[in-house]
Amino acid sequence: MKLLLDFLPIAIFFGVYRWSGDLILATGILIPVTVMHVGITYLMTKRIEKMALATVGLVVVLGGATVLLREGWFIMWKPTVVNWLFALVFIGSHFIGQKPLIQRMLEQAVQLSPARWNRLSFAWAVFFVASGVLNLMVAYQFDEATWVNFKLFGLLGLTLVFIILQGIWISRVAEPAEE
């Protein structure tokens, strides 16, 4: 249920853009939908993740600039900024705390050596940096409609492929579970 709810703002953004062909209108709808999404998530879980707060903040600031200035480049930068923040968090987790973030997230389900946790963490950081760069390449090299399609299908598809490849790698290198 939460996963479907998490995709709702981008699905509505995409639907409004497809219906209207207007990035400013789609962004204007995205802002309150994203704020409502965070509010509903809070009501359901009684907590808000830090990255969800960062995302809603970026949607409000960059989306607001897009609507107020009637300039789509601001919202086109949002996926890049979010991805680069994710990369910073993954890299920063090596210096804050005892374990990389990915290990904290997955160690209940997967047993890896410290070196492999580090490799996996840096792979995620590189993936997020590359995704941000790729978003800008598409935004600046292609038309607006292509970027909107890439935002929904391209970035999501790349993430799913990366998760599948990560799962295959983990299944090959994971250590046996402790009894």
Side-chain angles (χ1 to χ4, degrees):
M1 176 72 165
K2 184 182 178 314
L3 187 59
L4 288 175
L5 187 61
D6 287 345
F7 286 111
L8 190 60
I10 186 62
I12 291 173
F13 171 83
F14 181 78
V16 171
Y17 182 81
R18 279 284 160 234
W19 171 74
S20 68
D22 186 344
L23 185 64
I24 308 303
L25 176 63
T27 302
I29 301 288
L30 176 66
I31 296 167
V33 167
T34 303
V35 171
M36 288 188 303
H37 165 259
V38 170
I40 291 168
T41 300
Y42 177 75
L43 290 174
M44 290 172 56
T45 64
K46 298 297 183 224
R47 67 185 196 89
I48 300 174
E49 296 170 1
K50 291 175 185 163
M51 286 314 283
L53 279 176
T55 299
V56 76
L58 287 169
V59 166
V60 169
V61 170
L62 296 175
T66 294
V67 172
L68 288 173
L69 300 174
R70 306 201 56 74
E71 179 55 63
W73 292 110
F74 293 104
I75 200 64
M76 289 180 175
W77 267 85
K78 191 211 64 95
T80 294
V81 174
V82 168
N83 278 309
W84 289 352
L85 283 174
F86 281 151
L88 283 174
V89 167
F90 272 82
I91 292 167
S93 72
H94 288 266
F95 304 102
I96 300 170
Q98 303 275 328
K99 303 172 188 173
L101 178 62
I102 194 74
Q103 182 176 357
R104 291 180 232 165
M105 292 167 47
L106 297 178
E107 71 183 344
Q108 297 298 328
V110 177
Q111 301 292 318
L112 295 175
S113 69
R116 288 191 170 132
W117 281 120
N118 287 337
R119 188 175 306 151
L120 185 59
S121 179
F122 284 115
W124 272 102
V126 167
F127 172 77
F128 285 128
V129 168
S131 293
V133 169
L134 190 56
N135 177 67
L136 291 178
M137 289 174 63
V138 172
Y140 283 99
Q141 298 297 320
F142 296 93
D143 64 7
E144 183 180 279
T146 301
W147 175 80
V148 170
N149 283 325
F150 175 76
K151 164 90 174 83
L152 179 62
F153 301 112
L155 287 175
L156 179 60
L158 288 172
T159 302
L160 290 174
V161 167
F162 184 75
I163 289 170
I164 290 167
L165 293 173
Q166 167 193 273
I168 292 168
W169 180 79
I170 288 172
S171 71
R172 291 182 177 172
V173 301
E175 299 168 359
E178 295 177 8
E179 302 277 331

